[in-house]
Amino acid sequence: MKVSIENLAKSFGEKDAVNDLTLHVNEGEFLVVLGPSGCGKTTTLRLLAGFERPSSGRIVVGDTTVTDPEHGVFVPPQKRGLGMVFQSYAVWPHMTVFENVAYPLRVRRVPMKQIRLSVQGMLELVGLGEESASPATALSGGQMQRVALARALVADPSVLLLDEPLSNLDLKMRERLRHELKQVQRRTGVTSVYVTHDQSEALELGDKIALMNGGRLEQFGTPDDLWHVPTSRFVADFLGTANIVPVVAPDRLRDKKVVTAEGATIAVHGGEVDADGNGYLVVRPEAARLTSEAPVSSSDGNVWPVNVVERTRVGGVTNSRVEWGGQAVRVSALSDATQAGPGKAYLSLARNDAWVVSR
Ligand SMILES: Nc1ncnc2c1ncn2[C@@H]1O[C@H](COP(=O)(O)OP(=O)(O)O)[C@@H](O)[C@H]1O
Ligand SMILES: [Mg+2]
C-alpha cells in the first residue's frame, strides 16, 4: 500500500527528533530512510508503526489515516497490518524456525493446513526451505534475520518496516542478505520502508532515498538523483566522497561557469548558487582524471596543470592527492588505467561531472 507522511513532527521534551517531515511512498516501492546516527530515522519508523505518537502531522497508509493528532485519530500498532524487522534478532529461541514464522498466523487463528502452506512458501522464498524443523537457537545471525523477514512477510503486511536489519551481521553476510532482501521485496511487491545509516545499502536497495539530517529531510529522490544532483554539500558528502570547492558564479550560473578563489574558470553541468552568487563545486574523486600530458580533446576546457602530492593504492584503485591552485583535491581511478604523478600532471574534468550546490 502507499504511504503518506505529512508535516510529521515529534519532540521529546525540548528535543525535536523529527521536524516537519513530508514523504510519499508509492505502492510497491522500496524507500530507504538514510542519515547519520541520531537524525530521527528510528523515530520516523516508530511513528509509522504506531509505537510513538507524533506531536503533529499526519500518516496515511493506503486510504486509512493511521495518525492525525489534530483530529484525535490514532490506530494502534496491531491494527496497522505492518510487518517489522529490527536490528536485534527478535527470533524466539524456544521455538523451531517453522513455529517462529507460523506465529503471526496462529494468532489470527488461520487454519493449520493454510499455515503449513504459507510458512513453507515463505521459508523457501528466504532460502530456509530445509530449516523448517531446526530449533531457532541453531541458526546463524544471517539465518535468524531470514526468519525474522519470513515472519514479517507471512501475514501479507500492508507495509514492511525494517530498522537497520543487517547491522549486526559481518560484511560478507550483510552484502549477501542485502541482495536477497531486494529480491524478496521485488517478488512480494510489498511496500517497504528501510532505515539505515549505511549509504551503500541505501544506494543498492532504495527505489527512493530520504536522506535525513537533524530531524529534517535533507533530500528526497532516486539514488541517481542524490548521487548526481545533490542539493547540498551534506548530501554530496554523505553519499560516497566528494571534493567540495568554494566557487562564485558571477553570472549566477546562466553561462554555466564558476570561478574558484584562485581564479580558475570551470564549465559546469548546473546546480544552484545563493543570492550572492556563492556556491560550492562538487566533484566525485572518480569523475576527475589525471594524465601526464595535457589531453588533446579538451574536457570542455576544464584542464589544469596540477601537482600530484601523493598516490596510494587500495586494492585495484589508486587514490591521488592533488594540489590544484590552493585546493587539495582527491582523484580515484582503477590502478590499471594509466595515471600520472607524483609530481606534475594535468587534471581534467568533464562539464557533466561538475555540479554546484548553494549550501
Ligand atoms: N524516547 C526518547 N526520549 C528522548 N529522546 C529520544 C527518544 N528517542 C529518540 N530520542 C532522540 O531523538 C533523536 C533521534 O533519535 P533516533 O530517531 O533514534 O535517531 P536514529 O535512528 O536516526 O539514530 C536523538 O537525538 C535521540 O536521542
Ligand atoms: Mg536508529
Side-chain angles (χ1 to χ4, degrees), residues 6-136:
E6 295 161 14
N7 308 108
L8 196 68
K10 174 71 184 176
S11 35
F12 297 103
E14 295 282 280
K15 169 92 201 168
D16 291 337
V18 175
N19 210 326
D20 197 23
L21 183 70
T22 297
L23 274 181
H24 300 281
V25 195
N26 296 321
E27 163 95 52
E29 217 167 39
F30 199 123
L31 171 74
V32 175
V33 179
L34 174 69
S37 175
C39 73
K41 306 180 296 293
T42 293
T43 304
T44 302
L45 209 69
R46 289 173 58 81
L47 288 163
L48 256 174
F51 298 144
E52 300 282 359
R53 290 171 183 252
S55 314
S56 60
R58 206 161 78 107
I59 300 174
V60 184
V61 177
D63 296 320
T64 310
T65 301
V66 295
T67 300
D68 184 358
E70 240 164 73
H71 296 94
V73 177
F74 184 79
V75 177
Q78 68 276 14
K79 296 232 166 97
R80 295 191 184 191
L82 306 164
M84 278 172 266
V85 182
F86 303 102
Q87 179 176 351
S88 57
Y89 313 130
V91 165
W92 293 298
H94 56 285
M95 292 185 190
T96 63
V97 166
F98 178 91
E99 285 163 346
N100 261 284
V101 178
Y103 187 81
L105 300 179
R106 285 251 168 88
V107 172
R108 291 176 180 208
R109 304 191 189 286
V110 173
M112 198 54 204
K113 203 172 149 200
Q114 179 63 45
I115 292 183
R116 271 203 206 95
L117 269 174
S118 303
V119 171
Q120 197 54 40
M122 203 46 76
L123 287 177
E124 265 149 37
L125 185 67
V126 301
L128 289 177
E130 310 287 299
E131 307 295 330
S132 177
S134 307

Side-chain angles (χ1 to χ4, degrees), residues 329-356:
V329 170
R330 204 180 127 160
V331 178
S332 303
L334 292 178
S335 300
D336 292 342
T338 40
Q339 250 203 330
K344 286 203 180 312
Y346 290 87
L347 178 71
S348 56
L349 178 65
R351 175 196 284 269
N352 278 347
D353 292 322
W355 184 251
V356 185

Side-chain angles (χ1 to χ4, degrees), residues 159-229:
V159 182
L160 179 63
L161 306 178
L162 310 105
D163 193 349
E164 313 243 7
L166 307 180
S167 296
N168 284 351
L169 306 174
D170 64 54
L171 182 65
K172 277 246 166 72
M173 181 51 74
R174 212 183 308 154
E175 284 175 353
R176 191 166 138 203
L177 214 50
R178 181 202 295 180
H179 188 68
E180 290 180 18
L181 183 66
K182 179 83 178 183
Q183 288 183 321
V184 169
Q185 193 271 339
R186 281 276 171 273
R187 284 172 67 177
T188 56
V190 63
T191 307
S192 303
V193 180
Y194 184 104
V195 160
T196 183
H197 65 277
D198 182 331
Q199 49 108 2
S200 58
E201 275 181 21
L203 289 169
E204 178 169 345
L205 289 172
D207 295 318
K208 301 267 177 64
I209 297 174
L211 178 54
M212 292 182 71
N213 182 16
R216 291 181 178 275
L217 185 63
E218 184 79 22
Q219 189 169 352
F220 178 65
T222 64
D224 274 354
D225 289 339
L226 272 72
W227 186 266
H228 291 292
V229 290

